[in-house]
Structures are given as C-alpha cells and as structure tokens.
Amino acid sequence: MTAAPLAPTAPTSHATRAMSRGAAARRAGTRTAATGATFGVLASGAFAAVVPTTLDGTATQADAEETTQATALAAFETGIPSSAQTADGSPSGYFSPVSFEHSGAATGALQAAAPAQDADLASLGKAHEIAGKIAEEHRKAAEAESKRQAELAELEALKSKGGVDSWIASALDHMGLSQSYSSGLKRIIMKESNGNPDAINDWDSNAAAGNPSEGLMQVIPSTFDAYVHPDFADREITDPVANITAGVRYMIDRYGLETLDAGGRTGSHGGYIGY
C-alpha cells in the first residue's frame, strides 16, 4: 500500500513544518498498523515487517526471531522517508526513528533491585545470627548467676553451722580463694591441730625458744603477725578464721598454691610433714 503524497501548501514557519511532518508520520504509522492487522506483521519502533509463515499459516520461531531482530536494528538506524515527493519522485525528506520504552524496562528495574533485596536478606540473616548469640550470652550469664547464688546460699548455710568446715569456708571466702581448696585445707588443719582452735604446741623447738605454735594452723606469733589477713589483724592468734588466713597466706608465699591444693607437703614415703 502506497501513502498518498502531501498536498502542497503555502510557506510556513519552522514549527508549522515540523508539526506537518509529525502528522504525516502518524498517518503513515496508522496505515502500517492497519496493514499489519490484515497480513500478520510484527511492529518494532516505527517499522513493520512481515513474518515468514509456513504452509499452514503459522510463523516459525527462528524466522520470527531473526525478523524481529532485524526490524529492531532497522528501527534505530534507518531514517523514515517522507510521503511527500520531489519533482523527480524521490522522498522530500526523512524522519528520525522514535524509540519506545517497553515492558522490558520494568523487568530490568526489578532485576536491578534484586541485589539490594539480597543485601537486605543478608542483613536480616546477620541480625538474626547476632540476636541468637546475644541470647546465648544472656542465657550463660543467667546460668552462671544462678550457680553463684546457689554457692553463696550453700556457703552461708555452712558458715552458720560453726565448726571447722564453717571456719574454712569463711577464711577461703574472705581471701577470695575457691572453696575447692577446702578439702586440702581441712587435711592440713586436722594434721596440725585436730581441729582444735586452742591447740598449743609446747614440745617443739619453737616452744623451747618461747614461741609456741598455736591455733588451727599451728602458727607462731611472728608468722601470725606477718601473714594474717589485714581485716583480722586485731584478732587473737587463736581466732579460728584469722589463724587460718595467716597459715594459708604463709604456705602460699613459701611453697605455692599447689601445696594448699595437695593438703600440705608430704615426705618421700607419702606421709604428712607439715608446711
């Protein structure tokens, strides 16, 4: 189908000529669309191309793809001839192809947004992981606090009973030492004084020198004065808790904490030999 030539008009302004060319292009596009509706064509931009068909009237996929690609390239590269002709029958001018945005742009926008969505999901996963770690730390802290409170309650109950175990518990607690040393410390006390806070050794060399060993840990006065915990400095040498702090601090200073843990020093045959 051939477009009818534009009727000549009187000279007009540049804007008017541009509007006339646009109207002509729209009329040409309308005629092309009508032709496409009749013969089954594919349109791309301002161009239309007939798709090759089989004997049964259906277009082959390969042909359709090839024709569509060629048509798309032509739409962006080839000028559109004007329906107005010069004296020799050639087009009076050409129109630049028009590019139209299609649904693919929306798809591209969604694809571009995908990395941001993935980052959000990654951040959400990281936040969930951090929250889990914080919850676990809180659980451990609560468990440790519960255990500490139970130990304190047991310690207070032990202190209230009196006797050797109570004195040992009080002394270790005041010195900031673990109650795990209580068994070794009790062994030393029972070997030294048999658990009697008023015990006095009146037969060894210290006694002969006028400085008898006294109390649960059997310390001499000078050792008591040098090693008793400052909080008990005003107490008597036979005060159970004060005496224990003096003996333990002296032992750790001279032989190390392992001696307290072992329950005192032992001889070559495994017997107790004091500290």
Side-chain angles (χ1 to χ4, degrees), residues 6-178:
L6 297 176
T9 60
T12 60
S13 66
H14 178 76
T16 303
R17 288 195 298 274
M19 292 177 62
S20 298
R21 288 195 297 271
R26 284 194 295 274
R27 287 195 298 275
T30 301
R31 286 192 294 273
T32 301
T35 303
T38 304
F39 296 99
V41 301
L42 290 179
S44 175
F47 285 87
V50 178
V51 179
T53 59
T54 59
L55 292 177
D56 61 359
T58 60
T60 62
Q61 181 178 358
D63 291 339
E65 291 178 353
E66 181 178 356
T67 304
T68 301
Q69 292 174 357
T71 303
L73 290 175
F76 287 100
E77 297 177 358
T78 307
I80 304 172
S82 172
S83 60
Q85 300 179 349
T86 60
D88 62 359
S90 62
S92 61
Y94 292 87
F95 297 101
S96 298
V98 179
S99 175
F100 297 96
E101 186 175 344
H102 52 80
S103 60
T107 303
L110 292 176
Q111 292 173 345
Q117 294 173 355
D118 292 343
D120 290 342
L121 291 176
S123 298
L124 182 62
K126 190 66 175 179
H128 181 73
E129 179 182 348
I130 294 173
K133 290 182 178 180
I134 292 175
E136 177 63 15
E137 291 301 319
H138 285 175
R139 185 194 67 78
K140 290 180 179 180
E143 184 178 301
E145 178 61 18
S146 177
K147 182 179 179 181
R148 190 181 76 85
Q149 292 297 331
E151 291 175 348
L152 288 176
E154 183 180 353
L155 179 60
E156 291 303 320
L158 183 60
K159 289 179 181 180
S160 65
K161 291 181 178 180
V164 174
D165 291 334
S166 172
W167 298 328
I168 290 173
S170 296
L172 289 174
D173 182 49
H174 200 86
M175 290 184 291
L177 294 173
S178 171

